[in-house]
Amino acid sequence: MKKVLVLGAGQLARMMALAGAPLNIDVVAYDVTSGQVVHPLTLAPVLSGLDNAIRYADVITAEFEHVPHDVLDACEASGKLKPGAAAIKAGGDRRIEKALLDQAGVANARYQLINAETDLVAASQHIGLPLVLKSSLGGYDGKGQWRLKTADQIPAVWQDIAAFLADAPAQSIVAEAFVPFQREVSLIGARNQAGDTAIYPLTENVHTDGVLSRSLALETQGDLQQQAEGMFNAVAETLGYVGVLAIEFFDVNGTLLVNEIAPRVHNSGHWTQQGADTCQFENHLRAVCDLPLGNTKAIRSTVMINILGEDTVPTDVLALPGCHIHWYGKEKRAGRKMGHINVTAASHNELVQTLDTLAQHLPSDSFPVVRLS
Ligand code: AMP
């Protein structure tokens, strides 16, 4: 029995625990806020304190990138942390992430670091307008972002940013060229210690107010898949990466630009639980436990729909063929990721029909993007 400690005690640790059980991999979760090791499903305390947690584990991994650096450094020093601290830190800080993308030589939006109003003026001239301004730390799901469309907005936008920075002195701002993309896609793949990789088909993602609503596993993407895999390999090799790595891209007329990386299993890979031969959670555990990687082939047409801010859906949904609900056992809060529904079908056309039926059962304000038709 391998003992895997996950830094973070949310739904990703929970789904890793569920995927690990058949392989005799015992997953426990370290709640970085309380300093307790907990059972990933019941959240019952198992152990207390980081030192005990590190001693207990055979392997340590993370389910989120905003782990305090002292915790990451202590885990790294034990030699058990996979992926390594550098990869996790890159996922949690856009400054490190952008430097990594440049080092790996992968295409991403032009950028400049902003620490003063004069930087904003310079960026608007060098990169051009519009600009997307993002907080370097803790900004995810569209939070901590501003748009600068015209030069006359600079004083007002800077005032807003200056107030934000005054409250969060460790933050700075990355100004990025606005990318006129047609759609957003992501690639999930696993890499093991030996450098073998297992990569899933690209997923097309739709966000609502900056939060993922729907992910569709794409079939036969040819050139696009190749571009994405090339960039995945470049980033993973640069980091000496071990585990599942997710990369989000902008698709601009068939050319991919990296938006951001997530050094972990990812919401846009949840479809693999029903739609792929081996799910991302199992492949992450296989990679970090140095086991052979599982087949990543899509085995049917699949979509994932996020359940946001709702703790129930009509039970009729379970009667629809191909609909699989995954709850996270969390307390209801507006907009919170509470669970997801994986919808599978034998063909794309059948999937379109099932989603039409599913949409009739779900409240459209909480589920704005269900239909593919
Ligand atoms: P992020 O937190 O970086 O993933 O950004 C949240 C969302 O903002 C993305 O999913 C995009 O829809 C949008 N966005 C982020 N960066 C850019 C950009 N450089 N150009 C256009 N849209 C962007």
Side-chain angles (χ1 to χ4, degrees):
M1 166 92 61
K2 276 259 188 201
K3 290 180 284 195
V4 174
L5 176 76
V6 181
L7 303 175
Q11 67 264 24
L12 302 179
R14 173 185 172 103
M15 289 186 275
M16 275 188 233
L18 292 168
L23 290 176
N24 251 357
I25 297 173
D26 181 41
V27 175
V28 292
Y30 180 73
D31 180 337
V32 296
T33 314
S34 68
Q36 294 266 340
V37 175
V38 298
H39 187 281
L41 274 75
T42 63
L43 304 184
V46 175
L47 276 175
S48 191
L50 184 60
D51 290 344
N52 288 333
I54 292 173
R55 247 194 313 276
Y56 171 85
D58 297 313
V59 176
I60 306 172
T61 190
E63 63 139 33
F64 77 129
E65 48 276 21
H66 301 291
V67 179
H69 285 194
D70 58 329
V71 173
L72 285 178
D73 293 341
C75 293
E76 180 102 314
S78 73
K80 299 177 181 178
L81 184 63
K82 290 171 189 165
I88 300 170
K89 287 176 184 174
D93 187 330
R94 293 187 197 276
R95 293 166 288 195
I96 307 174
E97 183 181 44
K98 282 292 202 182
L100 164 70
L101 297 176
D102 289 346
Q103 192 193 344
V106 299
N108 62 96
R110 290 183 62 208
Y111 72 100
Q112 189 177 315
L113 301 185
I114 304 292
N115 290 303
E117 187 171 355
T118 48
D119 296 333
L120 205 48
V121 175
S124 69
Q125 288 162 356
H126 296 144
I127 302 174
L129 294 173
L131 283 174
V132 180
L133 305 159
K134 302 179 179 183
S135 57
S136 56
L137 306 169
Y140 59 93
D141 286 346
K143 296 183 183 77
Q145 284 203 13
W146 300 260
R147 301 284 160 109
L148 180 64
K149 292 186 179 140
T150 54
D152 62 325
Q153 294 174 328
I154 290 176
V157 169
W158 174 252
Q159 203 178 16
D160 229 37
I161 290 176
F164 173 81
L165 291 176
D167 281 345
Q171 288 274 15
S172 74
I173 303 296
V174 175
E176 233 180 54
F178 177 83
V179 178
F181 60 85
Q182 276 83 50
R183 60 175 179 170
E184 296 184 79
V185 297
S186 60
L187 192 77
I188 314 285
R191 185 175 185 272
N192 68 12
Q193 195 84 49
D196 304 323
T197 59
I199 300 178
Y200 293 95
L202 276 167
T203 307
E204 181 184 290
N205 304 318
V206 177
H207 296 86
T208 309
D209 299 328
V211 182
L212 184 66
S213 306
R214 188 188 73 205
S215 290
L216 165 70
L218 292 173
E219 291 160 32
T220 56
Q221 286 301 299
D223 172 58
L224 218 55
Q225 180 80 24
Q226 241 179 2
Q227 285 183 48
E229 290 193 10
M231 292 195 250
F232 176 94
N233 288 328
V235 172
E237 278 162 27
T238 302
L239 288 166
Y241 197 89
V242 176
V244 161
L245 169 69
I247 306 191
E248 295 184 73
F249 301 94
F250 298 126
D251 178 357
V252 189
N253 299 318
T255 298
L256 295 184
L257 284 186
V258 174
N259 172 24
E260 60 185 5
I261 66 161
R264 54 174 169 80
V265 289
H266 192 255
N267 195 170
S268 69
H270 292 358
W271 67 270
T272 60
Q273 291 169 310
Q274 264 75 42
D277 199 24
T278 314
C279 78
Q280 63 164 350
F281 303 100
E282 179 174 338
N283 256 335
H284 181 69
L285 292 172
R286 288 186 186 216
V288 300
C289 293
D290 213 13
L291 296 168
L293 300 176
N295 193 332
T296 47
K297 198 167 124 335
I299 52 174
R300 47 177 82 94
S301 298
T302 311
V303 152
M304 188 245 22
I305 309 283
N306 263 342
I307 304 174
L308 302 170
E310 297 279 354
D311 59 0
T312 55
V313 293
T315 46
D316 292 2
V317 167
L318 285 172
L320 298 176
C323 287
H324 303 265
I325 302 181
H326 298 257
W327 289 111
Y328 307 153
K330 297 199 293 195
E331 229 166 87
K332 181 170 164 168
R333 208 187 300 141
R336 193 176 197 194
K337 289 180 179 170
M338 301 293 291
H340 64 273
I341 308 173
N342 283 338
V343 186
T344 67
S347 69
H348 184 76
N349 286 346
E350 201 179 288
L351 186 62
V352 170
Q353 285 170 18
T354 307
L355 288 168
D356 281 347
T357 312
L358 176 63
Q360 291 165 22
H361 288 79
L362 298 174
S364 58
D365 46 346
S366 303
F367 295 88
V369 192
V370 174
R371 287 187 166 89
L372 284 170
S373 54

